[in-house]
Amino acid sequence: LFHPGLGLWLSPSVENLRPVSVLTLRVSSRPEGPWSQAHIVASLPRDFVGFSCYAGKAHLLQEGDALLALSAVCVKPKAELKELSGGRADIYTPVFVPLHLSPDQDLGNSEVV
């Protein structure tokens, strides 16, 4: 995702740490890289302790706004493929986390934001 306010490309991901998974961002001035180290930008809510989370995404809410919505999909432990493909909403949960980024944040050189 290109963030016009920052002039940077953002690559979100999820790291399943214990006890709580985190959302991370890597940044680059060019889409082909080089990319920064992963910056931990948010922890997922405690309601998702023990879940497997994946498919991190960033959504620019308004053009020119610094507010992003980061999202991930979380699955209850030991969920079976047949349950997931059956659309069981109680085991397959999208999570949205708001994040404000500003041009004065040094995402390119800092370890953690």
Side-chain angles (χ1 to χ4, degrees):
L1 170 74
F2 183 73
H3 192 295
L6 299 175
L8 293 171
W9 290 89
L10 308 176
S11 178
S13 63
V14 178
E15 292 187 26
N16 286 300
L17 304 176
R18 298 293 178 239
V20 178
S21 296
V22 295
L23 294 165
T24 64
L25 280 179
R26 293 176 187 270
V27 297
S28 177
S29 59
R30 300 185 320 261
E32 69 274 11
W35 290 87
S36 72
Q37 296 293 322
H39 305 283
I40 297 173
V41 294
S43 295
L44 293 178
R46 289 254 175 225
D47 295 347
F48 296 95
V49 168
F51 281 48
S52 292
C53 300
Y54 61 96
K57 292 188 175 39
H59 313 272
L60 192 58
L61 296 180
Q62 293 180 7
E63 191 68 30
D65 191 0
L67 183 62
L68 293 176
L70 298 178
S71 66
V73 175
C74 296
V75 177
K76 283 186 180 178
K78 300 181 182 174
E80 295 183 19
L81 183 58
K82 64 181 178 182
E83 294 174 303
L84 294 173
S85 61
R88 291 225 5 235
D90 62 321
I91 61 171
Y92 180 81
T93 308
V95 181
F96 291 90
V97 177
L99 176 67
H100 256 340
L101 296 176
S102 65
D104 57 331
Q105 284 178 288
D106 189 5
L107 290 175
N109 297 317
S110 64
E111 300 255 337
V112 176
V113 176

